[in-house]
Amino acid sequence: MNYTLHQLQIFERVAHYQSITKASEELHLTQPAVSIQLKNFQNQFPIPLFEVVGRRLYISDFGKEIAQAAEDVLNAADTINYKTRAIGGQLAGRLRVAVVSTGKYVMPYFLSGFMKNNPGVDLRMDVTNKTVVVENLEQNLVDFALVSVLPDHLKLERIELMPNILQLVANQRYFEKIKLGGRAKSDAVPLIFREKGSATRAAMENYIKEYDLNVQKRIELTSNEAVKQAVIAGLGCSIMPLIGLRNELQNGDLKIFPQKKLPITTTWNLVWLKSKKLSPVANELLEYLEIEKRNIITENFEWYSTFQIK
């Protein structure tokens, strides 16, 4: 056998996501490049590591064992690299962060300066819905998680980063037609929801329940970006975090629809398990955020804190 660390990394990520597409996105490789390396890696084993049924990829039991072994090898190689860098006086190690979907518009700004200051640190940031983020946190698979709603069954420490503001938004052309909770079918347009497990969906459902709104038409989509594009296209309206809508609001593709008891305001929190022993890298990030948090918000999110409904 003559597999490389690069092939081990690719297979481990494909096995983790059970998706060539998601693995290629994280590794910043094209899908054909990942597929070729995956095939070359498979050719070195007499037993299938995976199979494709329809359009879905499934990892075999043998493949799962190889993926675990690959993760162990990669971790050992990382340890060697980190120890070598540490001898030279660099902060070195891996930082693992799980981020809820909308948090992808927030977390990179709070990590960018830290990563530039510490080239010996490797970052792995998984972006998914709240349910999976909380599972990763609970199973101690990450150092930190970025959430806007705190899971109440876990004992957590946290640092508050910035507000998360949700408003009802719609396509400008459909703006005057919207009447959320309207009693006549002609008064209502569809309300577009995120998938179950999303914190944004939970906020919408709580709002609708609390004020006993009559939502006659519902559409469900599985990503914040999909919801945004659907609203821009006039497919419906949605209660969305403003943090991901800067360009669309400023250029008029979307408009905020004033509504009773809106906006919904929560807080973006970086959280970690109270029982977790943080690594030197994780502790250094917390110190960095305490010092730089206000500057980061002022520099990158001034538009957000001062945005006015027109």
Side-chain angles (χ1 to χ4, degrees):
M1 291 188 176
N2 193 32
Y3 42 77
T4 65
L5 284 177
H6 184 55
Q7 289 175 336
L8 289 174
Q9 182 186 39
I10 287 175
F11 179 68
E12 190 277 330
R13 288 291 84 191
V14 169
H16 174 78
Y17 289 116
Q18 295 194 58
S19 168
I20 292 175
T21 300
K22 291 182 178 179
S24 64
E25 290 173 354
E26 179 177 320
L27 296 170
H28 304 291
L29 298 170
T30 65
Q31 291 185 39
V34 169
S35 296
I36 290 171
Q37 291 300 321
L38 192 61
K39 181 179 179 181
N40 291 340
F41 187 65
Q42 170 65 83
N43 288 341
Q44 299 181 70
F45 296 91
I47 301 174
L49 301 174
F50 60 90
E51 62 177 340
V52 177
V53 179
R55 300 185 65 178
R56 292 195 60 182
L57 183 145
Y58 297 88
I59 306 300
S60 67
D61 290 341
F62 177 66
K64 292 176 183 177
E65 294 179 11
I66 297 302
Q68 181 59 60
E71 183 179 358
D72 294 341
V73 170
L74 292 167
N75 287 338
D78 286 341
T79 299
I80 294 172
N81 291 332
Y82 299 147
K83 288 183 179 295
T84 303
R85 292 169 183 168
I87 290 174
Q90 281 189 331
L91 179 68
R94 175 178 289 171
L95 185 64
R96 300 165 299 174
V97 184
V99 177
V100 294
S101 301
T102 312
K104 65 178 176 288
Y105 301 110
V106 176
M107 199 66 228
Y109 292 97
F110 288 92
L111 292 173
S112 177
F114 178 78
M115 296 302 296
K116 289 177 181 176
N117 295 341
N118 298 284
V121 174
D122 293 328
L123 171 66
R124 174 170 289 174
M125 188 172 78
D126 288 332
V127 180
T128 182
N129 70 28
K130 182 192 172 187
T131 299
V132 178
V133 167
V134 172
E135 288 175 356
N136 286 338
L137 187 65
E138 190 170 13
Q139 295 170 20
N140 198 30
L141 299 177
V142 294
D143 299 302
F144 300 109
L146 182 71
V147 295
S148 59
V149 179
L150 297 173
D152 54 15
H153 67 290
L154 297 178
K155 294 182 179 180
L156 301 172
E157 300 283 359
R158 63 171 174 154
I159 177 172
E160 293 185 0
L161 296 185
M162 59 181 288
N164 179 37
I165 300 172
L166 292 85
Q167 289 275 23
L168 182 68
V169 295
N171 179 307
Q172 177 82 12
R173 291 172 297 172
Y174 291 82
F175 191 72
E176 297 302 328
K177 298 181 181 179
I178 294 177
K179 187 177 180 181
L180 186 60
R183 299 299 168 180
K185 289 185 178 180
S186 59
D187 289 335
V189 295
L191 189 62
I192 303 176
F193 290 78
R194 285 283 308 279
E195 78 285 359
K196 290 183 179 180
S198 161
T200 300
R201 176 177 179 134
M204 289 175 64
E205 290 180 332
N206 289 339
Y207 174 78
I208 291 167
K209 181 179 180 181
E210 182 176 357
Y211 297 104
D212 192 27
L213 298 178
N214 178 30
V215 179
Q216 298 165 346
K217 304 176 184 178
R218 292 173 177 249
I219 295 174
E220 181 177 310
L221 299 175
T222 57
S223 76
N224 194 70
E225 188 63 28
V227 172
K228 179 167 67 175
Q229 295 304 322
V231 175
I232 291 173
L235 194 58
C237 61
S238 186
I239 297 174
M240 299 187 69
L242 297 188
I243 195 68
L245 305 178
R246 178 181 183 179
N247 292 336
E248 291 77 16
L249 290 170
Q250 290 182 342
N251 66 24
D253 288 336
L254 293 176
K255 187 172 181 179
I256 294 173
F257 182 70
Q259 190 74 18
K260 181 181 178 181
K261 302 299 183 180
L262 286 178
I264 300 168
T265 302
T266 58
T267 301
W268 288 112
N269 295 281
L270 192 67
V271 300
W272 62 99
L273 292 174
K274 186 171 287 189
S275 60
K276 186 174 182 62
K277 183 177 180 181
L278 295 178
S279 68
V281 170
N283 278 314
E284 197 71 24
L285 174 63
L286 292 179
E287 291 182 17
Y288 169 82
L289 290 176
E290 290 288 358
I291 295 170
E292 296 294 336
K293 178 176 69 172
R294 181 49 50 193
N295 291 334
I296 293 169
I297 292 172
T298 300
E299 182 178 349
N300 298 287
F301 299 104
E302 191 66 24
W303 70 271
Y304 179 67
S305 59
T306 60
F307 195 88
Q308 298 294 319
I309 300 176
K310 297 181 180 179

